[in-house]
Amino acid sequence: MSLNKTIVALDQMTIEEIENFLSLPENTLETVKIGLELFVKHGPELVIKIHNQFKKKIFLDLKLHDIPITVSRAIYSLKDLPIDFLTVHLSGGEEMLKSALLEARKSIPNCKIMGVSFLTSLEAKDLNSLFGITNPEVAFLRLFQMANKTKIDGVICSPQEIVLLKKDFPNLLAITPGIRFIDEIKAEITQDQKRVSTPQEAINLGADYIVIGRSLTQTKNLRQRLLELT
Ligand code: C5P
């Protein structure tokens, strides 16, 4: 059901741990997410290695956010890397998104550009004190409208926002973190994830892909977890 829609986040892992994890015979996950932590330390070589050695698709979660020319040049620096998804911040604005997309289509043409809405670490009170947002739903919708207008491929949003997104913009892909297995939710093992969904719930809400990190990378029984995703 959701196995081929699952992206595994390789956070807080050494290269050796990553190699061991990706070498497990039961590891049939197709796509891995490389975030800032790993990319800052190991750079494009890690992307190439994981793609070539383990035949995985790559979601490069750099959450780019800068003036348009800087973002565009950063994307040019990724030229020809085997990346399937790249993230940029929607709050960088329309010009930044257009500029990112223009460069991406030239330099990494097979890569989907995904916009990050508000960080899940921001709560309603932060949105209010930072941006004067009193109605988060309206603020999310504005970001989604801009994503749609600039014709980027999709957005990263929590399970709570998928319905809001898909109702008006079904053409935008939704990639959703904040996923925990049902037994973890019952046992309240949600770490720093505040609002979580099970894989099936997120897919039922309309997620095109789900991002799961520690529940897969730190499990003692990956085979069983992957069975739960089939
Ligand atoms: O919590 P988990 O290990 O499954 O995290 C997977 C991904 O979800 C992380 O790489 C991060 O991008 C995202 N995340 C998030 N909000 C959090 C924790 C993680 O969006 N509170």
Side-chain angles (χ1 to χ4, degrees):
M1 147 294 286
S2 48
L3 185 60
N4 61 357
K5 297 183 173 183
T6 301
I7 299 170
V8 61
L10 304 176
D11 303 316
Q12 301 162 34
M13 294 171 91
T14 63
I15 294 289
E16 195 187 356
E17 285 166 343
I18 290 172
E19 284 180 348
N20 290 340
F21 176 72
L22 296 180
S23 301
L24 291 171
E26 65 269 34
N27 191 336
T28 52
L29 292 155
E30 277 179 20
T31 309
V32 305
K33 179 166 93 73
I34 295 176
L36 266 185
E37 177 195 346
L38 283 173
F39 196 74
V40 166
K41 187 151 190 196
H42 304 288
E45 289 73 25
L46 183 67
V47 172
I48 294 168
K49 178 186 168 78
I50 292 182
H51 176 78
N52 288 353
Q53 191 174 333
F54 299 101
K55 310 290 173 228
K56 302 293 182 190
K57 293 185 183 171
I58 309 288
F59 174 158
L60 191 60
D61 191 15
L62 297 185
K63 296 189 176 70
L64 298 174
H65 188 178
D66 212 313
I67 59 170
I69 182 69
T70 303
V71 167
S72 153
R73 296 292 300 168
I75 293 177
Y76 177 69
S77 297
L78 299 171
K79 189 169 165 51
D80 297 333
L81 276 182
I83 312 168
D84 289 84
F85 302 96
L86 175 71
T87 50
V88 296
H89 266 285
L90 291 172
S91 54
E94 198 175 318
E95 286 315 309
M96 190 203 84
L97 295 177
K98 284 184 182 160
S99 174
L101 193 64
L102 191 66
E103 186 56 48
R105 293 298 188 243
K106 284 189 260 175
S107 295
I108 38 175
N110 298 320
C111 181
K112 296 201 176 351
I113 298 297
M114 305 295 300
V116 176
S117 49
F118 295 111
L119 294 172
T120 55
S121 49
L122 297 176
E123 297 178 35
K125 67 171 172 17
D126 301 310
L127 296 181
N128 191 347
S129 62
L130 280 171
F131 311 114
I133 292 169
T134 50
N135 186 340
E137 211 168 273
V138 172
F140 273 105
L141 263 181
R142 281 205 194 121
L143 289 179
F144 297 159
Q145 267 158 6
M146 193 175 56
N148 188 54
K149 186 174 172 203
T150 57
K151 297 195 166 49
I152 62 169
D153 298 289
V155 306
I156 313 296
C157 63
S158 82
Q160 282 66 39
E161 286 96 43
I162 304 174
V163 174
L164 191 66
L165 172 80
K166 290 288 182 174
K167 185 168 151 284
D168 289 348
F169 310 109
N171 53 313
L172 286 175
L173 290 173
I175 300 188
T176 305
I179 306 294
R180 288 291 179 273
F181 291 93
I182 187 73
D183 58 291
E184 296 176 310
I185 295 178
K186 283 186 184 152
E188 295 184 1
I189 307 172
T190 54
Q191 285 119 346
D192 48 352
Q193 294 281 11
K194 295 200 179 77
R195 297 178 305 266
V196 294
S197 289
T198 65
Q200 188 62 59
E201 279 166 354
I203 300 287
N204 290 348
L205 287 168
D208 297 284
Y209 299 92
I210 52 177
V211 176
I212 311 181
R214 291 160 287 185
S215 301
L216 292 176
T217 56
Q218 295 180 9
T219 180
K220 294 199 169 57
N221 194 343
L222 182 63
R223 192 181 304 274
Q224 172 57 33
R225 285 306 190 203
L226 297 189
L227 269 178
E228 290 174 53
L229 291 172
T230 50

